[in-house]
Amino acid sequence: DGPAALEAARTAAAAKLGALLKHRTPHVTVAAAAAVGAVGAAGPLPLPVGVGAAEAEEGGDAPDAAAKEGNGGQAAPKEGTEATSTATAATTEGDNDEAAGRSEEEMTKHSVVAHLASLLRREKVRTTAVRALGQLVAGDPHAPFRNAALLAILGMHTVKDVELQLVVGDALATLAMSPPRQASSAPPPALPRIKPPEAPAVTGTGADATLAERT
C-alpha cells in the first residue's frame, strides 16, 4: 500500500495545483504555476493524459448528435442551455474565493497545459506560465501535449516585452536541453511537426530602441 498511497497522494496534489491555475488571484495563480512547473521538471506529471484540443474538436459532434437523437431528431433548445451556463458561471465565480482550487473538472496533463496557456493572456502571470510550460515539456519531452505547449510558448512572439522574451528563450532552452530519458521498449509517440510563427517578435527599430533604453 505504501507506493500506491504515495502515487495517489502525488496525483491528488498535482490535480489540486492544476485546479489552482484557474484562481482569480494573481499571486495564487503564480504560485500554482511555479509549483506545477517544478513538479513537471522532475518528471511526467502524475496525471492521466486526457484529451487535447485537436482530439476534442474531432469528437465535438458526438454530444450534439446524441442530443438530437434524444430530442426526436431536433436540436436541443438553446434557451435552457444558456440559462444553465449562466447559472453555472455565476456559481463558479461566487465559489471561487471560498473553495480555491476545488474543481469538478478532472485534471489531466492536457488540461493543465491548456490552463497554463490561458494564463499567457494575463500580464502578471504569463512569465511564470511560460516557464512552467517549458518545464513540463522538459520533464516529459514525448508527451502528447508537447506541440500545444510549444505553440503556446512560441505564440508569445508578438508581445513587445524584452523580459518576457528572455523567459521565452529560457523556456525553449530548458526543454531543448532536457536530459534524455532511459530507453524503453516502446518508441516515443509520433507527433506532427509544428510551424514556427512567421512574423518576427518585434521590428528591428523597436527592438533596438527597447534594448538601448534598458542598457
Side-chain angles (χ1 to χ4, degrees):
D1 292 341
L6 178 60
E7 186 63 22
R10 293 180 67 244
T11 300
K16 181 66 69 174
L17 290 172
L20 285 172
L21 294 175
K22 300 183 291 182
H23 204 281
R24 290 180 298 173
T25 306
H27 70 267
V28 174
T29 311
V30 168
V36 166
V39 173
L45 285 178
L47 294 172
V49 175
V51 180
E55 292 85 349
E57 289 178 1
E58 290 178 1
D61 294 337
D64 292 338
K68 288 183 179 181
E69 182 178 352
N71 196 33
Q74 300 295 325
K78 294 184 179 180
E79 183 176 354
T81 303
E82 292 176 355
T84 303
S85 301
T86 302
T88 303
T91 302
T92 302
E93 183 176 355
D95 293 343
N96 196 12
D97 294 332
E98 297 179 1
R102 185 182 65 189
S103 175
E104 296 180 357
E105 174 191 4
E106 180 187 7
M107 202 56 57
T108 66
K109 294 181 181 180
H110 272 297
S111 62
V112 167
V113 170
H115 290 316
L116 285 172
S118 69
L119 294 179
L120 300 181
R121 298 190 295 267
R122 297 170 59 179
E123 185 175 357
K124 295 181 179 180
V125 186
R126 61 191 181 192
T127 55
T128 307
V130 167
R131 189 175 291 110
L133 286 168
Q135 291 173 316
L136 290 182
V137 178
D140 198 359
H142 299 294
F145 61 76
R146 183 194 68 185
N147 284 5
L150 281 171
L151 285 173
I153 295 173
L154 294 174
M156 302 304 292
H157 74 285
T158 58
V159 181
K160 299 181 180 181
D161 185 324
V162 174
E163 282 80 4
L164 176 63
Q165 297 306 325
L166 291 174
V167 174
V168 168
D170 184 66
L172 293 174
T174 298
L175 63 91
M177 300 184 66
S178 58
R181 299 294 170 186
Q182 294 181 354
S184 60
S185 57
L191 296 173
R193 292 186 176 183
I194 62 175
K195 290 184 177 181
E198 297 180 357
V202 292
T203 60
T205 303
D208 295 340
T210 303
L211 290 172
E213 292 175 359
R214 298 181 180 276
T215 57

